[in-house]
Amino acid sequence: MLWVAIIGLVATAVAVALASRRVLFLYRLATSGQPAPERVEYARANAGAEIKAQLVEVFGQRKLLKWTPSGTAHFFVMWAFFILATVYLEAYGSLIQGAVTGKPDFHIPLIGTWAILGFLQDFIAVAALLGLIAFAAIRIKNSPKKLGRGSRFSGSHLGGAWLILFMIFNVIWTMFLFRGAAVGTANFPYGPAAFASHLVARILPGSEALEAVGLLLHIGVMLVFLVIVVNSKHLHIFSAPLNVLFSRRPDGLGPVPPMRSNGAVLDFEEADPDVDVFGRGKIQDTSWKGFLDFYTCTECGRCQSQCPAWNTDKPLSPKMLILDQRDHAFAVAPYLLASEQERAGFSEDVLALLEKPLVGEDGVIHPDVLWSCTNCGACVEQCPVDIEHIDHIIDMRRYQVMIESSFPSEAGVMLKNLENKGNPWGMSEMKRADWIEELDFEVQLIDDKMPEDVEYLFWVGCAGALEDRAKKTTKAVAELLHIAGVKFGVLGPMEACSGDPARRLGMEFLFTMLAQQNIETLNEAGVKKIVATCPHCFNTLANEYPQLGGHYEVVHHTQLLAHLVEEGRLTPITPIDQKITYHDPCFLGRHNKVYAQPRDIMAKVPGVRTQEMHRCKERGFCCGAGGARMWMEERIGKRINTERVDEALTTDPDAVSTACPFCLVMLGDAINEKKNAGEAKGTLEVVDVAQLLIKSVKQS
């Protein structure tokens, strides 16, 4: 058996050397990018949450198990890698023991003869084999050749996926060849509990030569597989746990990270575009976490299948956004990692790639891809390996807006209005309090300090104060708080835009200016608790203002109203005989996990019958307004709001409800188009949940 050990160990040394060389290359490439010290600091400071994330996301496969049967198949194949590691430990033990003693009857000390371990090894191998069959069936059924854009595998490297399935199959059959032959030679440490191995042994001769061949094949397949994995999309086997470890909580949908240059947060008063990194203008500006995203993408296409832009025939595929950057990074990596002397010998093709803009008509990413994103978060929510697509998009937008001044022209009007008037429409700040005059009770206008008896600052928001449809929600919420006896005040003309549209567009400087202005106003007024009707304001105030020193207890109006109804301070009595379907705002739902409260409110309104659209809650479909798209024309493909209203109409509703002024406007516009075309009943309306509640409470 000495020759068997020599072959096995030499092959192992060669494969490990090749794999290590590739891993070193990947490490050097990632660390050639921008530092991301905040990722390490967060992981270190939140060790408990990170351990839980590893258990739930990696070992528990939470996100993948939402997709059955593919999630179930992946669960068993993934666990096969862990459990069958014990088989490889036994294989190497047999390799060495056979060389030393001449009898390869090795078993793992203490546990190596337990029936339960032998059973688990065989069970997980058989389950993985069934999983491979399921994967093959899914890929054939969802082939891009059949479904085109409708396939989540559209754009993926299909050949590599089939190669990986083939290699896993080879691991399994060589395992049973090795173990079945070992049963016949009495070298197998497990009894009949290892059912599959004993079954295979019935059709194999008890031959030590066959056992040796099976052993070498099993080890050899694993070594070839290792080299393939570190050079393929299945690198995620090793990188996914790291990507999960360094992702943001919860689910990668936390606040947009502040702009950093060389790891330090940019101070715009001192920043120099000629020296500092402003967003992402070239692949080297990507942080090492961004490179880790590239390495970890499995090309599964779950992000693509959920993307509202992709589903309405726009060029943005979150998957391809990552893959195109990854392929470009690998293409220019030899130059990036070369010494100054070595760079002189590179071909013109490589140099041409280096000159290729990251974003441009002939760039790595086309501008239409970049500006199609609504920041809805569906891609990040669905990604099983915690890739943060929105971060990549925001960083590229920052460079385009702040350095290249290249962005949709209509968005420029919005930015000028924000800068000059503090709201996207350019209306006078004095109009922010006009809605108060339409109420029959007094609203506290705060122009100095919050009175002690005022519990909440009502953050009205630009739409809530200035847009006619959104003002109905504002008045409804104010009236409900008044009825419930909740003391609140508003800033009126002192309030400016939260800055969300500027930040999501990529104009970080303007966001910072607006946010600092608002934080100063809030702090001087002594504000502690805020209620907001706009999910975009809610998300910005709660999650992003702390980056600039603004720390407040922020709730969305549906959260507060649901609490007041639960306490009995608001009692809906008058029936509303309507069938209603609810649309989840992205920045309330996916970004902040507020799904229950709006539905709880509607459930308490007598007469209301609710029916969910097929895409709802965490799989809800965007209205098309996020990511500053509210102020950009939608010229490519089907309008996202039209697609969403088409879904709503399948439930035959009397009304579509929501909890966001942006959604109210976008869905309302699409519904009006449907009415004009005779495709929706004339009585169909879109209303905020608060409007339903006040109608039932007030009429009582």
Side-chain angles (χ1 to χ4, degrees):
M1 293 292 288
L2 180 61
W3 65 272
V4 176
I6 292 172
I7 293 173
L9 293 176
V10 169
T12 299
V14 172
V16 169
L18 291 173
S20 298
R21 181 184 178 188
R22 177 66 175 180
V23 170
L24 178 60
F25 161 78
L26 294 170
Y27 173 79
R28 290 181 62 212
L29 179 58
T31 53
S32 72
Q34 288 288 301
E38 76 282 2
R39 300 290 186 158
V40 178
E41 291 167 7
Y42 181 89
R44 185 185 295 120
N46 296 273
E50 295 303 339
I51 291 172
K52 180 181 177 182
Q54 293 293 316
L55 294 174
V56 173
E57 302 292 344
V58 179
F59 295 102
Q61 300 277 279
R62 179 183 68 88
K63 287 188 176 181
L64 273 167
L65 287 174
K66 292 179 181 179
W67 294 69
T68 52
S70 60
T72 303
H74 192 278
F75 179 86
F76 285 116
V77 172
M78 184 273 297
W79 272 98
F81 278 93
F82 295 128
I83 295 174
L84 296 186
T86 61
V87 175
Y88 275 105
L89 180 58
E90 292 168 348
Y92 274 99
S94 296
L95 192 73
I96 296 170
Q97 186 164 304
V100 174
T101 68
K103 189 168 178 60
D105 59 350
F106 174 84
H107 65 268
I108 301 170
L110 301 178
I111 63 170
T113 58
W114 288 1
I116 186 64
L117 179 58
F119 170 78
L120 281 175
Q121 290 170 336
D122 277 23
F123 169 78
I124 201 67
V126 172
L129 184 60
L130 294 174
L132 295 182
I133 295 172
F135 283 149
I138 289 168
R139 286 190 169 272
I140 292 171
K141 180 182 177 182
N142 295 284
S143 169
K145 290 183 179 179
K146 292 181 180 179
L147 303 179
R149 284 178 65 99
S151 169
R152 62 185 174 92
F153 302 120
S154 176
S156 298
H157 297 86
L158 303 178
W162 285 109
L163 176 60
I164 293 297
L165 294 182
F166 177 64
M167 291 306 300
I168 298 173
F169 169 71
N170 288 335
V171 167
I172 294 172
W173 76 259
T174 56
M175 165 189 151
F176 283 125
L177 175 64
F178 160 54
R179 286 160 70 91
V183 171
T185 58
N187 290 327
F188 192 57
Y190 304 107
F195 61 96
S197 296
H198 280 270
L199 184 63
V200 171
R202 294 182 182 181
I203 60 174
L204 294 178
S207 164
E208 289 189 356
L210 183 61
E211 181 183 358
V213 170
L215 175 60
L216 285 177
L217 281 174
H218 190 48
I219 290 175
V221 164
M222 180 271 291
L223 295 175
V224 172
F225 192 19
L226 174 64
V227 175
I228 291 174
V229 162
V230 297
N231 286 275
S232 75
K233 76 184 187 71
H234 272 70
L235 180 64
H236 78 273
I237 294 172
F238 304 112
S239 62
L242 290 174
N243 213 43
V244 172
L245 174 66
F246 294 116
S247 65
R248 291 199 310 278
R249 302 284 165 242
D251 301 323
L253 282 170
V256 171
M259 286 181 66
R260 290 178 179 268
S261 178
N262 297 312
V265 176
L266 272 182
D267 181 348
F268 286 108
E269 292 184 1
E270 299 180 1
D272 182 354
D274 294 327
V275 177
D276 292 305
V277 174
F278 273 60
R280 189 179 305 178
K282 50 187 182 297
I283 203 68
Q284 303 94 298
D285 296 337
T286 308
S287 72
W288 60 257
K289 173 57 173 68
F291 278 100
L292 197 55
D293 281 349
F294 300 160
Y295 301 163
T296 307
C297 181
T298 70
E299 304 185 27
C300 66
R302 287 173 174 82
C303 58
Q304 180 174 286
S305 69
Q306 299 298 297
C307 177
W310 183 260
N311 277 278
T312 52
D313 296 323
K314 295 171 181 60
L316 169 61
S317 160
K319 175 183 69 178
M320 297 310 300
L321 179 92
I322 298 299
L323 296 187
D324 288 344
Q325 290 183 89
R326 182 186 73 187
D327 293 346
H328 178 66
F330 285 162
V332 300
Y335 183 90
L336 297 180
L337 302 180
S339 65
E340 289 296 329
Q341 185 176 2
E342 291 170 331
R343 287 180 175 181
F346 277 86
S347 67
E348 291 184 3
D349 291 341
V350 175
L351 297 177
L353 277 176
L354 286 165
E355 295 299 320
K356 190 174 186 178
L358 189 57
V359 177
E361 293 290 335
D362 59 346
V364 179
I365 306 297
H366 193 278
D368 288 340
V369 170
L370 190 67
W371 298 112
S372 292
C373 179
T374 67
N375 281 205
C376 72
C379 50
V380 182
E381 170 73 30
Q382 291 299 326
C383 181
V385 291
D386 284 6
I387 292 171
E388 294 162 351
H389 312 76
I390 292 177
D391 288 4
H392 293 262
I393 289 170
I394 292 290
D395 265 354
M396 285 187 277
R397 284 185 173 187
R398 284 167 167 168
Y399 183 84
Q400 292 301 303
V401 173
M402 302 181 71
I403 301 300
E404 297 290 338
S405 296
S406 176
F407 51 90
S409 58
E410 59 269 23
V413 177
M414 179 267 290
L415 291 177
K416 288 179 182 178
N417 289 335
L418 286 180
E419 186 174 1
N420 297 328
K421 296 293 185 179
N423 67 80
W425 290 282
M427 298 173 71
S428 169
E429 62 269 19
M430 300 310 297
K431 288 184 175 293
R432 283 186 175 270
D434 285 358
W435 62 273
I436 299 175
E437 298 174 5
E438 301 173 29
L439 300 175
D440 57 7
F441 58 91
E442 186 178 341
V443 173
Q444 177 77 51
L445 197 61
I446 298 167
D447 54 10
D448 188 15
K449 285 285 184 181
M450 283 264 286
E452 291 186 5
D453 64 336
V454 174
E455 183 179 5
Y456 284 96
L457 173 80
F458 181 10
W459 185 274
V460 180
C462 301
L466 303 171
E467 206 281 329
D468 289 339
R469 285 167 286 189
K471 281 199 285 187
K472 294 177 182 178
T473 302
T474 302
K475 290 184 286 186
V477 171
E479 196 161 359
L480 286 165
L481 295 180
H482 176 69
I483 292 170
V486 176
K487 297 291 186 180
F488 69 96
V490 298
L491 291 174
M494 298 283 289
E495 183 183 295
C497 178
S498 67
D500 167 82
R503 178 166 240 194
R504 298 286 164 172
L505 185 74
M507 180 53 84
E508 188 74 7
F509 172 75
L510 182 54
F511 162 75
T512 302
M513 183 182 77
L514 290 167
Q516 289 175 339
Q517 174 186 329
N518 284 324
I519 289 169
E520 183 179 355
T521 300
L522 293 169
N523 288 347
E524 286 181 355
V527 173
K528 302 296 182 186
K529 299 168 71 174
I530 299 174
V531 56
T533 54
C534 175
H536 297 264
C537 295
F538 165 60
N539 180 72
T540 305
L541 294 167
N543 299 328
E544 301 190 342
Y545 274 24
Q547 295 173 346
L548 298 167
H551 299 274
Y552 316 102
E553 180 184 334
V554 188
V555 296
H556 188 255
H557 74 278
T558 56
Q559 294 175 301
L560 181 55
L561 294 179
H563 176 68
L564 295 173
V565 171
E566 187 68 28
E567 282 191 333
R569 295 169 67 180
L570 290 173
T571 306
I573 297 177
T574 303
I576 298 177
D577 185 19
Q578 284 187 324
K579 182 180 180 183
I580 295 175
T581 189
Y582 176 71
H583 164 80
D584 287 283
C586 300
F587 277 77
L588 183 64
R590 268 189 297 268
H591 282 265
N592 286 283
K593 307 298 179 280
V594 179
Y595 298 115
Q597 291 90 334
R599 291 172 170 82
D600 290 344
I601 292 171
M602 290 188 293
K604 295 291 178 67
V605 176
V608 168
R609 306 178 308 282
T610 59
Q611 182 172 336
E612 297 283 8
M613 288 179 263
H614 76 277
R615 288 191 278 207
C616 61
K617 298 182 180 177
E618 69 271 8
R619 290 196 187 181
F621 199 77
C622 185
C623 75
R629 289 287 328 169
M630 180 86 167
W631 292 274
M632 289 184 257
E633 291 297 327
E634 195 169 344
R635 298 183 176 91
I636 303 173
K638 184 178 181 180
R639 294 181 67 87
I640 293 174
N641 59 342
T642 302
E643 173 73 9
R644 187 53 166 167
V645 166
D646 282 340
E647 289 187 5
L649 292 177
T650 63
T651 68
D652 189 28
D654 299 309
V656 178
S657 67
T658 188
C660 170
F662 288 8
C663 297
L664 202 68
V665 171
M666 298 296 285
L667 299 180
D669 287 348
I671 285 174
N672 288 335
E673 288 177 3
K674 292 293 180 181
K675 287 180 181 179
N676 294 335
E679 298 174 6
K681 51 192 175 187
T683 56
L684 181 63
E685 58 180 347
V686 56
V687 295
D688 190 279
V689 171
Q691 292 173 262
L692 290 172
L693 183 59
I694 190 63
K695 187 176 180 182
S696 182
V697 170
K698 189 177 179 182
Q699 290 184 1
S700 65

